Amino acid sequence: MSNSKQVVVVGGSVAGLFSALLLSREGHRVKLVEKEALEECDSPVEAFEKWDRRGAPQTRHSHAFLARLHNEIKAREPKLYAALLEAGAETIPFTEMTREFFPDEELLPEDDEITLLACRRMTFDWVLRRHISAETDTEILSGVQVVGLEAHPDAETGLPRVTGVRVSRDQSDPLTLEADLVVDATGRNTRLAHWLEDIGADPLEQESESCGIFYCSRFYRLLPGVEAPTMEGPIGADLGYMKYAIFMGDSGIFSITLAASPDDDALRQLRKPAVFDAAARNLPTTSRWVDSAVSEPVTDVSTFANLKNTYRYFVREGQPLALGLFPVGDALMHQNPLAGRGCTMAWLSAQLLSEAFAKHPEDPIAFARALDAEVIRQVHPWYQTMRDQDRSAGELLREEQSGTDPYGFQREDGSIDPKAYMRSMLKDGLMPALREDITVLRAFLRVFNLLDAPGDLMARPDLMQKVLAVWQKREQRVPISFGPQRAEMVSTLEAAQS
Ligand SMILES: Cc1cc2nc3c(=O)[nH]c(=O)nc-3n(C[C@H](O)[C@H](O)[C@H](O)COP(=O)(O)OP(=O)(O)OC[C@H]3O[C@@H](n4cnc5c(N)ncnc54)[C@H](O)[C@@H]3O)c2cc1C
């Protein structure tokens, strides 16, 4: 192919694998460099047991794969889709999500778009890696670490023009891999800022702030011959002091994730298996799943602290920091994992990159500008939304802890506190509306699954009318309990510790 270019993708996790796949499909020659030496495994079960994945420890946590990613894979990579299902991945269609509250509602043809994929993250990566090896000419270099960039000043712009990467295996002397394009897919802890500094680029600007939570996940196996309990109520909930969810996996394995504030000392004990299980037994959705007659734990509790919402601005005012280089996936943007968006964002950023490169293979500045424009349009809004939601959640928690009613919107002087009013609208309007009105649920799930833009729900007056109508009946509704109050949970956890 005349426009075939040499590409080096750094990082062999989802964003790197997606980039390699999509760029190979465009006819480029791709080298995928991954610092971890991943042992060849014959099955996802073996990979789950053997792959350490220290470079991407979140692969040991619950993962949901959103409808947008499900649909892209199904439409564009049918063999990959089939391989995922063959490996035990399951689909969760809209019908399943509506069965409990809307059993008689007629569904729309486009509701098929709202279908999630359920499997363990390790299974997903194992299948994806094999697919790329079998279906593309990508050269996968495992156990090879990129230690820096090769670059020279571009004659026209004066910007550093990246011409390759320096790689090292087992601390040996670095070698150079030449490339027309380098893709940074090294995840949230990317060394991009240092690499850029080393080649004389301007500083990489980033925004980053805490999500206000830590994560604990544990995997369980259904006992032989035992059917998975039917799902009654939501797969997860936000209790304010703690968030929880149950995730369907593959091969009879499921996982539970509990998340709480790192400042909550009592809940930090959730990292201990006995305490974690006690919490899971004390929650309505998860209790039947962790019953010892139903399942057994197959892992310890994995924890993930220091979670952040981060965005890295590689292009500022139309000027990239370097030519022939771009970050994707978590290296570009990462956010609160509770939204389950990371792998879908990895796909999206890889897709935008491969499309921009197809348009401008010979013009690195046009490539960077075109890609940045799309990233700002399609990726950045999700970062902003999550950051703002986390800020609000933090404020709400602090008000609750200080004894203020965060939903009390009626001020003493008769005026309305707009922030509290909005919270009340979400808690007593939107949340119950998801169980009472299928149009609201559909619109909510479309945004949740990245099928519609983040602001689309609030921008529809018809939906807002419905939410308002539900909210106005809040006094008549019996509040639903998704779990115990914090004090009760803490005493359960303390009992489990002792
Ligand atoms: C606790 C937790 C739960 C999550 N749950 C979900 C979920 O439910 N759904 C979802 O979609 N997303 C979820 N995410 C987000 C998702 O895991 C990430 O968005 C995704 O893994 C990002 O992929 P990536 O390829 O960009 O980076 P990573 O997966 O972090 O991979 C980076 C790779 O680069 C390699 N690497 C690093 N440096 C070098 C180097 N110098 N040379 C060579 N290789 C290098 C690493 O070894 C690693 O393999 C979760 C994240 C966390 C933290």
Side-chain angles (χ1 to χ4, degrees):
M1 188 182 164
S2 58
N3 269 336
S4 174
K5 299 284 177 196
Q6 180 64 61
V7 181
V8 168
V9 177
V10 191
S13 189
V14 274
L17 291 165
F18 287 149
S19 302
L21 178 62
L22 296 172
L23 289 161
S24 298
R25 293 291 190 221
E26 293 286 338
H28 301 299
R29 290 159 280 130
V30 181
K31 288 192 168 98
L32 180 72
V33 188
E34 166 55 48
K35 72 176 177 184
E36 283 182 68
L38 294 181
E39 198 179 323
E40 283 306 319
C41 292
D42 291 332
S43 72
V45 175
E46 196 186 339
F48 191 69
E49 277 161 16
K50 291 193 173 158
W51 282 359
D52 193 9
R53 306 280 320 254
R54 277 183 205 186
Q58 73 273 22
T59 52
R60 290 255 157 231
H61 283 265
S62 307
H63 269 67
F65 301 96
L66 301 180
R68 174 136 180 204
L69 178 60
H70 166 271
N71 299 349
E72 292 285 353
I73 292 175
K74 189 176 177 189
R76 295 178 60 148
E77 291 290 330
K79 279 193 186 168
L80 171 60
Y81 186 67
L84 283 163
L85 298 185
E86 203 178 306
E90 290 186 17
T91 55
I92 308 178
F94 189 57
T95 37
E96 208 164 293
M97 299 175 230
T98 53
R99 202 170 39 212
E100 188 183 359
F101 296 112
F102 309 100
D104 305 320
E105 285 280 353
E106 209 164 292
L107 298 186
L108 306 175
E110 62 265 31
D111 286 340
D112 280 352
E113 285 178 27
I114 310 174
T115 300
L116 287 91
L117 192 69
C119 67
R120 282 173 293 170
R121 171 65 195 272
M122 214 65 98
T123 302
F124 189 88
D125 286 23
W126 179 83
V127 174
L128 181 56
R129 212 176 146 95
R130 275 168 73 102
H131 176 74
I132 286 166
S133 298
E135 291 290 315
T136 73
D137 294 330
T138 301
E139 191 183 335
I140 299 183
L141 305 168
S142 263
V144 177
Q145 182 168 1
V146 168
V147 292
L149 302 168
E150 288 289 346
H152 60 70
D154 178 63
E156 215 172 296
T157 61
L159 293 167
R161 171 67 168 101
V162 173
T163 54
V165 294
R166 276 178 295 115
V167 298
S168 151
R169 192 193 285 270
D170 301 331
Q171 316 286 319
S172 57
D173 285 343
L175 298 170
T176 298
L177 295 181
E178 290 183 359
D180 300 304
L181 174 67
V182 172
V183 180
D184 174 17
T186 57
R188 60 185 56 224
N189 297 322
T190 175
R191 304 268 307 152
L192 185 60
H194 301 280
W195 292 346
L196 284 167
E197 196 185 332
D198 289 349
I199 58 167
D202 283 346
L204 175 66
E205 213 181 297
Q206 72 168 37
E207 283 173 14
S208 189
E209 60 187 64
S210 170
C211 303
I213 55 157
F214 68 93
Y215 236 59
C216 288
S217 301
R218 191 170 203 196
F219 287 79
Y220 301 79
R221 183 190 292 120
L222 291 169
L223 295 177
V226 176
E227 283 282 307
T230 48
M231 201 55 100
E232 281 161 27
I235 62 154
D238 184 353
L239 303 177
Y241 68 90
M242 185 171 91
K243 295 137 196 3
Y244 68 88
I246 183 161
F247 293 75
M248 302 308 121
D250 50 279
S251 320
I253 291 182
F254 66 92
S255 59
I256 293 172
T257 286
L258 307 175
S261 162
D263 300 330
D264 194 326
D265 286 339
L267 292 182
R268 280 190 5 205
Q269 306 307 317
L270 288 168
R271 66 184 189 279
K272 298 176 182 158
V275 178
F276 186 98
D277 280 0
R281 279 196 295 272
N282 204 20
L283 294 166
T285 306
T286 52
S287 60
R288 290 172 307 123
W289 289 75
V290 293
D291 188 317
S292 58
V294 173
S295 68
E296 60 183 3
V298 289
T299 62
D300 278 341
V301 178
S302 299
T303 55
F304 209 114
N306 205 15
L307 289 162
K308 289 187 171 148
N309 294 305
T310 301
Y311 191 93
R312 297 191 171 97
Y313 295 90
F314 186 71
V315 177
R316 271 308 207 192
E317 289 159 13
Q319 195 78 335
L321 296 175
L323 302 176
L325 170 73
F326 216 94
V328 292
D330 276 13
L332 171 69
M333 185 274 271
H334 53 267
Q335 56 184 296
N336 192 327
L338 283 172
R341 293 180 189 144
C343 295
T344 310
M345 284 293 153
W347 172 281
L348 178 61
S349 53
Q351 185 187 337
L352 297 177
L353 178 134
S354 96
E355 286 169 1
F357 199 49
K359 277 191 202 137
H360 305 287
E362 307 292 346
D363 185 345
I365 197 135
F367 158 73
R369 284 178 181 156
L371 176 51
D372 183 61
E374 281 310 306
V375 162
I376 289 291
R377 194 171 73 80
Q378 299 194 46
V379 175
H380 193 259
W382 294 105
Y383 157 73
Q384 281 176 314
T385 306
M386 194 75 252
R387 181 202 60 195
D388 295 349
Q389 277 175 9
D390 281 346
R391 282 181 187 169
S392 306
E395 277 176 30
L396 190 148
L397 195 62
R398 282 191 291 281
E399 285 191 28
E400 263 177 351
Q401 282 165 350
S402 70
T404 316
D405 174 9
Y407 307 99
F409 57 87
Q410 195 77 60
R411 293 189 183 120
E412 273 177 24
D413 64 5
S415 64
I416 298 280
D417 174 345
K419 218 177 244 180
Y421 179 73
M422 189 48 85
R423 286 176 188 150
S424 171
M425 193 63 82
L426 287 176
K427 176 171 150 294
D428 293 320
L430 180 63
M431 286 305 135
L434 297 177
R435 295 186 295 275
E436 293 177 22
D437 191 316
I438 195 168
T439 15
V440 179
L441 177 66
R442 177 180 289 121
F444 175 83
L445 285 176
R446 286 193 64 85
V447 173
F448 183 85
N449 280 284
L450 311 188
L451 298 170
D452 291 338
D456 282 6
L457 187 65
M458 305 299 261
R460 276 182 54 185
D462 60 321
L463 290 179
M464 287 303 103
Q465 282 299 327
K466 286 170 189 274
V467 171
L468 186 64
V470 172
W471 180 77
Q472 277 162 344
K473 288 194 226 136
R474 65 194 179 285
E475 308 290 347
Q476 299 145 33
R477 200 172 291 114
V478 182
I480 302 174
S481 166
F482 293 111
Q485 299 285 317
R486 183 176 175 281
E488 184 196 325
M489 180 60 90
V490 168
S491 65
T492 306
L493 304 188
E494 280 168 359
Q497 277 203 82
S498 59

